[in-house]
Amino acid sequence: MLLRLYAKGEAPGGAPLAVEAKLGAPGRVLAEASLDGVGPAWRRCELRLVPSAAARDATLAIELLGPGTLWIDRVSLTPEDALPGHWRTDVVAALEDLRPGVLRYGGCSIEVTEWEEGVGPVEERVPFVNAFWGGRDPNNVGLAEFLALCLLVGAEPLVCVRWNGKTPQDAANEVEYVNGAVDTPYGRKRAAHGHPEPYGVRFWQIGNEVAGPEYERTVADFARAMKAVDPSIRLCSAFPSLALVQNASPVLDYLSPHHYGCAALGAMEEDVLALRDLVTRAAGGPPSKLAVTEWSTTAGDWGLGRRALLTLDNALACARYHHLMQRNSDFVEIAIRSNLTNSFCSGILQTRGPDLFLAPTYYA
């Protein structure tokens, strides 16, 4: 196991601090190593801990041996066989077996976070409070880690950019960071973060679950600014409407509804047919396709409604929705499951400690 952390501290009289890292199980120490050189200035520590035995109830301890004050931050413990982006090998293998066409970097947190605070060295990133799901997110997974995962599993990435409180130039900067040449301002930033080659992300979405007159009025400006940076990209809207199609159809490639409540198959089919009709009535050119950038049988239900996501009954409901998408595949080009992992039973892959559980819907 690789232990990474930042540490600083001081002992009485200026003596060096004696600090140890230990992996332990009840009644025994499985691995230990010393943190050398911990002093009054923050320093990055990286240690290799080799357990002498397997244990399902192991704990990590950072011990200060003697009087003094110790500060630690950004503590992580990862397997030595972790893949680029620090992804687990079993999770990556399970995702690869799904043969996903597209994975999406998006969701509600996109609208309250700053993408630039999630790039570069992980230990230098700004944590954020997840206003929707609770908790303080360490910001360990940003664009680079997500794009590494897509490469590992052979999926095309779809990146959702923030609309709320942002300008078209902000969105263009993000496209430039991901796809721009190394001699562009944001391409240079990407190169400084260790990836000189452009990522070449093709699919982008403007805003997550936003709608209304202001969005409908401005989305075309966002689209034009983003395509000015990279004309080859294909753009998805947020929630579709007639006004959105009328205002932005020449510069958008996809309408992007979200489908929750997919067990009500008739309602889902009605929405697909209504959007077909919307595109036909607008008749202004693209968007001519549908990209359902989130779908599931439930969104915010809790209790038994949430636990039902891990049942065979839910797998059947999802399989029926798959058939609906296939029957309309001349119109529906993208459909992205929400969520992929964990997420309070919603994910089709569930991890806890070293365990990986594949939900019935995974097999559907």
Side-chain angles (χ1 to χ4, degrees), residues 23-48:
L23 283 177
R28 55 190 173 140
V29 175
L30 302 175
E32 58 186 325
S34 296
L35 276 70
D36 297 322
V38 177
W42 284 107
R43 69 180 294 266
R44 185 176 188 271
C45 305
E46 183 170 311
L47 302 173
R48 186 167 179 257

Side-chain angles (χ1 to χ4, degrees), residues 163 209-219 238-241 243-244 247:
W163 174 81
E209 294 190 350
V210 290
E214 185 65 14
Y215 178 75
E216 293 159 352
R217 184 183 67 81
T218 60
V219 66
F239 285 158
S241 67
L244 181 140
N247 293 343

